[in-house]
Amino acid sequence: MPRVSMKVNGKPMAAEAEGRTLLSAYLREGLGLTGTHVGCDTSQCGACVVLVDGAAVKACTAFAADLDGAEVTTIEGMANADGSLGRIQQAFQDYHGLQCGFCTPGMVMSTAALLAENPKPTEDEVRHYLEGNICRCTGYQNIVRAVMAASGQDTTALAAE
Amino acid sequence: MHNFEFVKPSTVADAVQALAAEEAQPLSGGQTLIPSMKARLNAPEVLVSLMGIAEMQGIRHEGDMLEVGAATTHARVATEAAAAFPGLAGLAAQIGDPAVRNRGTLGGSLANNDPSACYPAAALGTGAVIVTNAREIAADDFFLGMFTTALDEDEIITSVRFPIPQKSAYGKFLQPASRFALTGVFVAKYADGVRVAVTGASENGVFRWSEAEAALASDFSAEALSGLSCPADDMIADLHGSAAYRAHLVAVMTRRAVVAAS
Ligand SMILES: Cc1cc2nc3c(=O)[nH]c(=O)nc-3n(C[C@H](O)[C@H](O)[C@H](O)COP(=O)(O)OP(=O)(O)OC[C@H]3O[C@@H](n4cnc5c(N)ncnc54)[C@H](O)[C@@H]3O)c2cc1C
Ligand code: FES
Ligand code: FES
């Protein structure tokens, strides 16, 4: 089986991968990084979103071999160096932006991509950007609040629940 | 998913050679092909990634023509075509969601010719030229009905040349679950006429609405379309909308595209 190498969360890593090994399986089973969740496995829900060379990508809809040499950031790479929650993660906790937490890794990674492109998004821009991330629990209100807070914006003006 | 041999050539010539193998198939963004391989609707023995081919990437602006490499992602078209051809960039920005746009490509979308896909409307609505490894195909001759194109087996799209219109826009009525177009209309105004291409509506895939083109040619305004309706005969009817509803949407989205055209 060929070996596929990537720089994951800043560290060079490698694991064996068949042609059909998806990026999600490579991360979870090959590298033991189980923070990336597989929800639908049909490209619909966004739970599996990671950053590939800085861009949000559904890890269930890319082959690991096609991304040989890429730089990947997963939810495990979002904490601070001392292990405390990163800025986006902390905002999700502070604003109750999760309930069961299954969608959360994808939500946090999509938020990271959004804020890198657009550091102070409007509420509409947040909702639009997160269209591909589905949450069955929260009703999205607190997710949007968390993203606004993570971008350093006032959340009191957001529409009431 | 059945396993396959994965190859990633760096030139079109090498890709064409790799595709000559038995049961070989090209892979671009995989946003359509990977889900269909998971469902075992496709089971190639060799998968040839086109994403490492530099000559199939990027956007080139030359006079009245915008040439887009077939392996260029929707996200890149949405930003890099914005100045030269805002109608095309606007269409690309409305495809799927950010993660789909970061992987999905122009070539994959046209080759797949999903009856509800967005790009076929832009290609037909501009009279684009689809460039392959072997020849050039006019958009009017390329789309041959749902999921069917003029491409030969093992022929790959390498780029698409869009004649840049004076004004254009894409009106998309979103099917919110799939994010595809329930019905979408691309309208483009040129010095010598207007083209109107409709996706998501017909059982035969993308088509030109010639009555609207004629009406808009003499008067490019939403009023010029009043009273005009598109026949519902060959329209798709499913749980998302009846044939009559889609026919109605064609007229509404054409008017909205004309109003939005810039
Ligand atoms: C959640 C979701 C939402 C989406 N929403 C939309 C939408 O709103 N509008 C829309 O238009 N599309 C939508 N799509 C489809 C998306 O745009 C796909 O990216 C596109 O249809 C296929 O492009 P691809 O590069 O991913 O091709 P692939 O999936 O890699 O390939 C598709 C097919 O084309 C063939 N192929 C690929 N490249 C070439 C080439 N250069 N020459 C010849 N054959 C080739 C492949 O063999 C395969 O048969 C959506 C997809 C998903 C998952
Ligand atoms: S698991 Fe990848 S989109 Fe749902
Ligand atoms: S918190 Fe449960 S799916 Fe989003």
Side-chain angles (χ1 to χ4, degrees):
Chain A
M1 228 189 287
R3 276 182 90 69
V4 169
S5 311
M6 295 182 199
K7 196 174 199 184
V8 182
N9 302 326
K11 293 190 210 73
M13 296 199 178
E16 295 196 328
E18 291 185 310
R20 65 180 162 183
T21 303
L22 298 165
L23 177 60
S24 49
Y26 174 84
L27 293 170
R28 290 177 55 85
E29 291 152 34
L31 302 180
L33 296 170
T34 54
T36 297
H37 288 174
V38 177
C40 63
D41 207 17
T42 58
S43 326
Q44 300 294 323
C45 76
C48 64
V49 168
V50 299
L51 305 187
V52 176
D53 298 325
V57 164
K58 292 176 187 175
C60 78
T61 314
F63 292 118
D66 211 7
L67 300 172
D68 195 20
E71 282 198 31
V72 174
T73 309
T74 69
I75 188 69
E76 287 89 345
M78 296 305 287
N80 297 320
D82 65 0
S84 61
L85 295 181
R87 183 170 55 112
I88 298 171
Q89 292 172 309
Q90 189 63 53
F92 271 72
Q93 185 182 67
D94 292 346
Y95 289 83
H96 202 58
L98 62 150
Q99 289 179 27
C100 80
F102 199 83
C103 69
T104 313
M107 289 287 180
V108 170
M109 300 319 292
S110 285
T111 301
L114 165 64
L115 299 186
E117 254 173 55
N118 181 359
K120 300 262 181 247
T122 63
E123 180 184 351
D124 278 352
E125 286 169 343
V126 172
R127 290 186 186 276
H128 184 65
Y129 199 90
L130 295 179
E131 260 175 357
N133 291 83
I134 291 173
C135 175
R136 295 275 90 147
C137 303
T138 62
Y140 302 100
Q141 191 67 21
N142 285 349
I143 291 175
V144 175
R145 221 182 271 273
V147 177
M148 296 301 275
S151 64
Q153 302 187 81
D154 186 13
T155 61
T156 50
L158 292 187
E161 282 161 62
Chain B
M1 191 188 315
H2 292 292
N3 202 19
F4 51 83
E5 186 194 337
F6 179 84
V7 290
K8 193 168 181 176
S10 54
T11 65
V12 171
D14 287 350
V16 170
Q17 198 172 8
L19 284 166
E22 199 70 20
E23 301 289 326
Q25 190 173 349
L27 170 76
S28 288
Q31 302 302 293
T32 295
L33 184 55
I34 296 176
S36 77
M37 286 171 66
K38 287 179 182 175
R40 298 195 174 177
L41 297 169
N42 284 79
E45 280 174 22
V46 180
L47 209 50
V48 181
S49 170
L50 306 178
M51 299 303 270
I53 302 176
E55 59 195 293
M56 285 177 62
Q57 295 280 351
I59 296 175
R60 203 166 55 85
H61 183 187
E62 216 181 274
D64 292 339
M65 194 266 300
L66 195 76
E67 180 164 20
V68 181
T72 311
T73 61
H74 309 330
R76 253 186 105 176
V77 173
T79 52
E80 294 176 24
F85 188 173
L88 184 71
L91 175 143
Q94 292 179 60
I95 295 176
D97 55 53
V100 168
R101 293 194 289 275
N102 284 334
R103 293 294 295 166
T105 69
L106 171 60
S109 179
L110 295 183
N112 194 51
N113 193 18
D114 185 299
S116 300
C118 301
Y119 265 132
L124 190 63
T126 55
V129 174
I130 288 107
V131 183
T132 77
N133 59 297
R135 57 187 168 142
E136 299 185 355
I137 310 171
D140 283 308
D141 304 324
F142 183 81
F143 301 105
L144 303 180
M146 262 195 202
F147 299 110
T148 315
T149 69
L151 289 174
D152 288 330
E153 205 166 336
D154 300 341
E155 185 173 11
I156 53 176
I157 304 174
T158 54
S159 72
V160 180
R161 289 198 208 115
F162 295 94
I164 301 174
Q166 294 170 339
K167 282 180 164 198
S168 66
Y170 178 57
K172 177 176 180 178
F173 195 90
L174 191 74
Q175 203 279 72
S178 75
R179 318 221 62 79
F180 278 75
L182 184 61
T183 292
V185 180
F186 194 88
V187 172
K189 179 180 187 297
Y190 291 92
D192 59 351
V194 174
R195 290 175 72 107
V196 176
V198 179
T199 188
S202 170
E203 290 279 3
N204 302 314
V206 65
F207 70 96
R208 284 172 69 185
W209 186 17
S210 40
E211 290 83 357
E213 292 181 350
L216 290 168
S218 49
D219 173 14
F220 192 77
S221 74
E223 293 73 48
L225 296 165
S226 63
L228 219 57
S229 62
C230 192
D233 301 342
D234 294 321
M235 295 282 162
I236 302 168
D238 58 20
L239 82 163
H240 307 297
S242 65
Y245 182 60
R246 280 192 165 82
H248 177 71
L249 277 182
V250 172
V252 173
M253 298 323 288
T254 305
R255 283 200 295 275
R256 286 192 192 168
V258 169
V259 171
S262 60

